[in-house]
Amino acid sequence: MTAMPADLLTRALDAPGEPPLRPLPPVVAELLRSLSAPPRLAAHPRAVHDVAAINI
């Protein structure tokens, strides 16, 4: 069974990941969901957000 694009987007935005990533701000996550953004597009700002938060 293959995952549906919405499932992959939810995973990109909400899954803890390994190593665990901080979630995006809710307004950003909602924007990506409302646009049905590709999962890779959602995963990138989440990774950048996590790294930026570590280095502040």
Side-chain angles (χ1 to χ4, degrees), residues 1-8 11:
M1 181 175 178
T2 60
M4 298 300 294
D7 297 337
L8 295 175
R11 183 175 163 200

Side-chain angles (χ1 to χ4, degrees), residues 11-23 43 46-47 50-51 54:
R11 183 175 163 200
L13 291 171
D14 300 327
E18 187 56 46
L21 298 175
R22 288 174 174 76
R46 186 171 175 201
D50 187 70
V51 170
I54 292 171

Side-chain angles (χ1 to χ4, degrees), residues 31-49:
L31 175 64
L32 291 167
R33 283 187 178 94
S34 72
L35 296 171
S36 298
R40 289 176 68 176
L41 180 61
H44 182 264
R46 186 171 175 201
V48 171
H49 174 69

